[in-house]
Amino acid sequence: MSRIIPLALAPLASVLALVACVGSTGAEKFEFDAAMGGVDRSPEVPYSFTNEYGWTVTLSQADVTVGPLYLNTVSPLGGAASFWRRWSPIREAHAHQSHLGEGRIVGEVLGQIRFSALSPELVRFPVRGVVSEEEVRSAELWFYPPSEVPPETTKIGSAAIEVAGVAEREGEQVRFRGKLVLDDVWLPNAQVGDRDNTPITAIRQVRGVPASFLPSPGGRLEIRMDLAPLFSSADFSNLAQNPMSLEDPQSRALVQSKSGKFATDQVMRVMYQGLRASRGTYTIQWRP
Amino acid sequence: MLLAVEARAHHDVPPAVVKGPAPVYPEGAPADGEARRVLLRLTIDAAGQVQEAEVVQSAGALFDQAAVATVRGWVFRAATRDGQPIRSRVKIELIFEPPGGVAAGKTALAPPQAPAPLMPEGPSPHAAPSAEAAQEEVTIQAQSRMSTRGAGDVEVHLGKLRAVPRQDAASILKLAPGIFLTNAGGAGHPYQIYLRGFDAREGQDLEFKVEGVPINEVGNIHGNGLVDTHYILPELVRSLRVVEGPFAPQQGNFAVAGSALYDLGLEQRGLSASYMTGSFGTQRALLLWGPSWGGPKTFGGVEVFSTDGFGANRSARRMTAMAGYEGRLGETGRWQVLATSYATHYAQAGVLRVDDLKAGRVDFYGTYDPQQGGDSTRHGLVFRMEQSKGGFSWEQSGALTLRDFRIRQNFTGYLEDPQRPWQSEHPQRGDLIDQRSKTLTLQALGSGRKSWGALGRKHSLELGYSARIDDVDSLQQRNRAGTVVPYRRDLDLASVLTNVGLHADAELRPLPKVTVRGGVRSDLFHYRVQNRCVLTAQAGFGGDEPDTECFDNDRTGYRSVDQTSSTASDTLQPRASLLLGPFGGVTFSLARGTGVRSLDPQYINQGLETPFAVATATEGGVAYTGELAGGELSARSMFFRTSVDRDLFFNQTEGRNTLAEGTSRTGWAGMVRLITEHLDVAANLTLVRAIFEDTKLLIPYAPSVVGRVDAVLAGALAEVGGKALRGTLGAGFSYVGPRPLPFDERSQSIALVDAAATIRWGWVQLGVASTNLLDRRYRLGEFNYTSSFRTAGFLPTQVAARHFNAGEPRAIYGTLTLSLEDPS
């Protein structure tokens, strides 16, 4: 017996030390704060810009409702299968209809906020985000209906953005007001089986927004939205036939419609494209 | 609770060896390589001591004297009649192997030299008029079995440890070091096995054999190599041998982490009936029959089991029947047939998200999807023959298995149902994965071993083969949430998988106390896989009807929806072990070997040489056998390292194992067991570091610390009505340290105590058992991956979150057992 004890204990002690060493499975996960606001500018100065058609647009309202947000490991133009995609025991988060075709979601902010894109003041999401310590190459902004509404619902009442303002060109002035609702109006006229058939959930997603950072504990995510791309090619002269806004009888209403007396106007279409543009509208930054 | 069975005769239990040193080849005897056999008739008193030893069949004076001297030192557990120790007579055949090595096949933890009674002989043991005068004759053959491969080759005889609560045959594995079992899938779901840092899932990395025949299921869609041990009645497990590495050439496919070899049999003769009932509406009825005219391999057993389960969606029903018969084959051989039949239907709770639990959105013992569950049937027939004559022994086995398997699991909720261009608009329909495999398996195994003498020592060489063919039909579909209505086909395979293996295993003793065992194994795997749904997705959709599951056109036009691929590969696996000793009971060992796991049929490509998962294991250890406090003490300590070039990991998205990178495990394991007349204690501990070879990151889910202690106290408590009142008190303690999880997290540790007590008087036994005695609320399994069960609204989470399976709370069961005489 006296021989056994040292025989057993000597290796035990050494291997205990080995096992006790801190090991890692990599990619520590942690929480972070995320906030969103308009471009960094003086709030004292009117939000104004001139677009491609020479219209000087001055916005008095730009309320955006957005969420959730996601952080992806694949860059916007990427697509190569990653190590993780092929070998990871952890499932890839790309398979949902609204995901990037490739890549892996490593962070998310599973909440929604409403903020004024006219204000540089950042509005914090009501819930903290979660991210693993892995290189982020792109972000996704989803303009989903409220949490209690299934995202596949085609008819919704919540607007992704509500705008109001004045467009002026060569003495002509057009006051406008409108709500962009991401509903079935924006579904392409495609049949099942057509390659350009796009589900409603994809309509509500902006994917591939460029980002490049390695998140670290203690940091926060800042997203700023530039409104100029939403009106960059808007021709406000097209609003002449539009009805007057109910909220402001002096303003033309921006129209989105597939049927009825009025069709979706050009300004609304441009705004839709600008909201969903992966480049130019949004700036993603990680603040350590 | 009482089973109405009338006792019609006495219940006799034959004597068994408690302590018995191996026979030592007498000095001066000729070392011609031939084993010598001496047949003795022993008279054993009621205290288990040898009163008389008479030579019945001589091998010469030297051997006769040595045989008598050997058995004089043996201690028996006395035969009993109705629980009363009685005097008995047994025949013992001692086989003297030529000198030169350690006691072949006698592992440190095995009870002394094969105590199993094989064949009753002479007058009926029940003919004696009184207990005092009763004499029973049984033949005991003291021949060793397969040779040990080192310290990591552990033979576990249950002995008194049978009294520790064990719900099934798989639980016996925990007596071997480093094995941790989880069952997240319900009472009918196969166990998930962790061994030495391997997440062997349901057996993919561990070869299982029952009565020498492999039971891993090749091509099972839930996991290639899956093992379902639920069809084995735990009461019919005589011993379990676990070889914790691919060290013996006899180890075949899936012996990556090692092998688990079940030896079945029933020691107790007569008819016994037991009924168990307890927590969660659990009921179990069991009938066991061991006819007095047969040995332990002749038995019958039937079980009916049902439970409502310890939480939502955990009910299970099963029935099992096993029957074995053993007959003589000439003077020195035997043949054996084993028939098994098993069916189960069970519900499964599945995983829960920790954030849902914390927010009160789900109960700890709740479920998300009540459609989870499974069905499993298994019917099998095994036939074996073996014979030993002179210096040559051979054995031959054949097996036929019919297997049907179905499992429905939902790991991810509503996440994996993307809207495809060719599909009608649909919401997320749910991720319930419905897997089915139907398999017909034919197997044949055989070997022959020739022994010879040289250098004054015995050597031997074994040549053997194994062959099996599996005809597997596999299907995986996705069902709509809360229903069994499929909406998508993931996989539809018809596979014919053939494996032929040859092995050569030599045992050489070049020097005294030096033994080299090992050789080589070669396997050829042939695959013919018909994929009946090749294109489940279309990049350039067009031409097919909307909502097509299996496309009949591709970029070059029409094609058939099915396609067949076939290939074959072979592999050579050297294995060897070196044993030095014994030196005063201490034997040192060094072992190294290579094992393979065949590829899952879903990965087969036409003509491409099949990549195997190859494991290379090295182990160095020391084993000790000696005496302590009048009992037998055995202990072993071993270091090990195993590398696998292509490992498998469970993918919750796919619902099955998928290939990953190379991995390695390095660690230490130790175990100790003390057996005395009234006490049986076994303890083991394993420490392991399991990492990915390329990144050196820890492998998720594999526990780094696993420990287990089993202890049983047994003896006579009093004498009541002229009969002994005997009792047992058993307890088991399991500890599993925090397991690494993805994203650098750790799971909670698990520490559980199980306990049981029995009291027996005559042919009646009452038992009470409790699992999780301290009622610890614990997470049996913990995982980090992405899911979206829509419990907190419809914003889809896409980041990995903590999931868990609830462990069973405290359960208490009562058992009444009536042990009845064989009416024949």
Side-chain angles (χ1 to χ4, degrees), chain B residues 734-799:
Chain B
S734 301
Y735 175 78
V736 181
R739 285 156 281 169
L741 301 176
F743 304 105
D744 212 16
E745 296 181 2
R746 295 288 190 279
S747 73
Q748 296 177 352
S749 60
I750 297 174
L752 296 175
V753 176
D754 303 328
T758 64
I759 189 161
R760 179 174 186 144
W761 184 74
W763 48 275
V764 179
Q765 177 173 300
L766 282 170
V768 61
S770 175
T771 52
N772 191 5
L773 181 68
L774 305 179
D775 201 22
R776 285 179 61 96
R777 188 160 134 153
Y778 69 101
R779 299 173 186 173
L780 184 60
E782 290 190 74
F783 318 95
N784 263 350
Y785 66 92
T786 309
S787 71
S788 180
F789 287 97
R790 295 187 164 177
T791 48
F794 288 95
L795 299 185
T797 176
Q798 299 188 66
V799 168

Side-chain angles (χ1 to χ4, degrees), chain A residues 39 41 45-62 117-118 161 163-169 176 225-236 267 270-271 274 281:
Chain A
V39 292
R41 52 179 282 277
V45 181
Y47 199 115
S48 187
F49 51 86
T50 301
N51 74 5
E52 297 169 9
Y53 285 90
W55 289 97
T56 299
V57 182
T58 304
L59 292 169
S60 57
Q61 183 189 8
L118 300 180
I161 184 168
V163 296
V166 179
E168 295 174 287
R169 184 176 68 177
F176 63 92
M225 183 178 181
D226 185 358
L227 294 167
L230 276 68
F231 300 93
S232 60
S233 58
D235 185 355
F236 289 88
V267 177
V270 170
M271 198 163 72
T281 306

Side-chain angles (χ1 to χ4, degrees), chain B residues 383-417:
Chain B
F383 182 78
R384 292 187 75 194
M385 293 184 295
E386 62 181 51
Q387 195 167 40
S388 177
K389 200 166 187 179
F392 184 72
S393 61
W394 61 267
E395 66 176 67
Q396 174 65 47
S397 302
L400 167 69
T401 308
L402 284 169
R403 175 87 166 121
D404 192 53
F405 177 89
R406 183 187 185 192
I407 190 167
R408 303 181 306 281
Q409 293 178 294
N410 190 342
F411 295 99
T412 50
Y414 298 86
L415 198 69
E416 301 299 325
D417 182 25

Side-chain angles (χ1 to χ4, degrees), chain A residues 24-25 29 70 91 99 108, chain B residues 653 698 741 794 796-798 800:
Chain A
S24 170
T25 54
K29 208 168 67 171
Y70 300 99
R91 69 157 301 280
H99 298 185
E108 69 183 14
Chain B
T653 304
L698 294 176
L741 301 176
F794 288 95
T797 176
Q798 299 188 66

Side-chain angles (χ1 to χ4, degrees), chain A residues 92-209:
Chain A
E92 309 158 31
H94 73 277
H96 187 267
Q97 62 207 49
S98 45
H99 298 185
L100 285 169
E102 298 286 350
R104 188 164 55 88
I105 301 294
V106 295
E108 69 183 14
V109 183
L110 219 57
Q112 293 179 312
I113 53 166
R114 181 181 169 89
F115 69 96
S116 171
L118 300 180
S119 167
E121 186 183 345
L122 292 165
V123 176
R124 205 162 67 176
F125 278 76
V127 297
R128 301 198 82 199
V130 178
V131 68
S132 57
E133 201 167 5
E134 294 174 83
E135 193 71 33
V136 172
R137 296 293 189 192
S138 67
E140 301 180 19
L141 286 76
W142 291 15
F143 294 87
Y144 262 28
S147 159
E148 64 274 11
V149 179
E152 299 89 3
T153 308
T154 50
K155 295 286 186 192
I156 57 173
S158 52
I161 184 168
E162 276 187 78
V163 296
V166 179
E168 295 174 287
R169 184 176 68 177
E170 298 169 356
E172 185 184 1
Q173 187 184 71
V174 179
R175 291 168 65 85
F176 63 92
R177 176 176 289 274
K179 294 179 181 177
L180 173 57
V181 179
L182 297 174
D183 59 12
D184 57 354
V185 167
W186 305 102
L187 287 174
N189 293 318
Q191 302 296 318
V192 170
D194 291 350
R195 294 192 67 182
D196 56 353
N197 190 27
T198 308
I200 187 68
T201 44
I203 296 290
R204 295 170 177 152
Q205 298 160 5
V206 180
R207 299 184 295 167
V209 179

